[in-house]
Amino acid sequence: MSPFDYICLAAGLVAAVAAIGFTLYYHTKTKKILNRASKMIDDAISGSFTESVFDESLLSSVESKLAQYLSSCSVSSKNLAEEKDKIKELIADISHQTKTPISNILIYAQLLCEQDLPEGSAQQAAALSEQAQKLSFLIEALVKTSRLETGIITLAPKLSELQPLMDAVETQIMPKARAKNIALKVCDTFEKACFDPKWTAEAVYNIADNAVKYTPRGGIVELSVTAFELFCKIDIKDSGIGIPEDEQPKIFTRFYRSPHVAGSEGVGIGLYLARKIVSGEGGYIKVSSAPDKGSIFSVFLPKEP
Ligand code: ADP
């Protein structure tokens, strides 16, 4: 090798060592910044994030932007939590403050109805009583939905047998079915699913109540359970008035009532609440229906948490 070759070799070695050194330095610095960024995100998730000062390098400016972003996120989540607390208080106030006046209106309306009133007044007293009951039901349902939405009430799904749920719904719905001479069939089941018994009973009851309400006298309402691999399905089938296809997506929205049911009582919140409950448990509700052909509402409940 000539002296020139040695010089080139030495220069190459120096360049290689410098490159390795630079790469190692850069790698360590990047790793440190990534670790800091990861810690910032962890702190933001746990709610203990505080912004710190960074140097002027490009990586540090990315770090600083991430810090600003996380800082604004933590402020808005704090504001959100405060807003949520205010809503919770408001709901509690509405629920508490309306309870006594509404029960008083109900009692006085009932007392009026029991009086020997002239015909016109008797009708007005009956209408007053009916409207007061509607108002009471509406406020109760709205408070329930808001409590579910704001997390004041949390669903506690657990693996449970479906038979007690079916029995509870049957007991609740039977008087209304009998009053309309509707045949109520509830099939036995040994299946289990993962659900909150109290709230799911309310959801299934709301659907079964509709089935009885929107089925003419002498009709049939049937409740049955089918198990699939991941879900158990509760079918609530009726021989009632049915629902046109274009209305089917709307019936689960708050306060929606079909123009075809204007003559029957209701406020349009039952299905909204039912869907809220079932989806909060990881399930879903499907409907299959046609006008004058009856309806099948299927409640799918997960078999595992
Ligand atoms: P409500 O029954 O108080 O009106 P819901 O939220 O329970 O409110 O139902 C919304 C609408 O869906 C009802 O007004 C009705 O038009 C329709 N609906 C629900 N269930 C049935 C059913 N089984 N048969 C026919 N229509 C139904």
Side-chain angles (χ1 to χ4, degrees), residues 77-147:
S77 69
K78 219 167 143 195
N79 288 345
L80 214 66
E82 279 170 14
E83 286 297 314
K84 211 169 156 185
D85 284 345
K86 278 186 203 155
I87 294 173
K88 280 183 188 175
E89 263 174 49
L90 184 67
I91 295 167
D93 285 349
I94 293 174
S95 161
H96 187 72
Q97 300 294 340
T98 54
K99 222 173 242 168
T100 315
I102 290 179
S103 356
N104 285 342
I105 296 172
L106 278 167
I107 292 167
Y108 288 124
Q110 189 59 40
L111 288 174
L112 255 181
C113 289
E114 285 164 13
Q115 306 280 316
D116 198 7
L117 297 169
E119 189 161 329
S121 310
Q123 269 176 7
Q124 285 165 359
L128 181 69
S129 175
E130 195 186 304
Q131 292 302 311
Q133 279 171 31
K134 196 169 167 178
L135 181 65
S136 163
F137 173 81
L138 181 63
I139 292 190
E140 210 179 293
L142 280 175
V143 167
K144 258 185 228 168
T145 37
S146 312
R147 282 182 171 160

Side-chain angles (χ1 to χ4, degrees), residues 162 165-166 204 224-225 232-236 297-299 301:
L162 281 159
L165 173 96
M166 305 293 275
V204 177
S224 59
V225 173
C232 271
K233 178 180 72 152
I234 304 174
D235 273 341
I236 300 106
F297 282 80
S298 304
V299 177
L301 297 171

